[in-house]
Amino acid sequence: ADGRTGDPGNCEGCKGHIMAENGISHKQTAAIGALLVHRTQAEAAAAAGVGPRQLSRWLTEDAGFRAALAEAEAAIVDHTAR
């Protein structure tokens, strides 16, 4: 997200609470990317640098996170279908 590392979860100075334009944090953005490429939630959480319980909370309690994940999944399906 910072354009320097290519890793949205590795933003210098970001503690995961800075909100991106879509209303989710950089850590949440990293978690979404990780969910799209890893086989399990535990693997995705580790890759994104968040705990598995935190990821589970976002998936069950955070409507904005779920909406952003659904949007990312739809974009992949749309891209794949072309």
Side-chain angles (χ1 to χ4, degrees), residues 33-57:
L35 284 166
L36 296 175
V37 298
H38 290 280
R39 298 183 95 176
T40 68
Q41 287 183 21
E43 290 174 357
V50 299
R53 287 176 46 201
Q54 180 63 61
L55 180 56
S56 179
R57 276 192 296 274

Side-chain angles (χ1 to χ4, degrees), residues 10-80:
N10 189 16
C11 178
E12 287 183 31
C14 177
K15 301 297 183 201
H17 63 277
I18 299 171
M19 303 306 274
E21 286 182 28
N22 59 1
I24 63 172
S25 71
H26 292 292
K27 286 278 189 184
Q28 288 176 314
T29 300
I32 288 170
L35 284 166
L36 296 175
V37 298
H38 290 280
R39 298 183 95 176
T40 68
Q41 287 183 21
E43 290 174 357
V50 299
R53 287 176 46 201
Q54 180 63 61
L55 180 56
S56 179
R57 276 192 296 274
W58 288 337
L59 287 165
T60 59
E61 300 173 11
D62 189 326
F65 180 81
R66 287 192 312 271
L69 176 59
E71 185 178 319
E73 290 169 337
I76 287 175
V77 169
D78 183 53
H79 180 75
T80 303

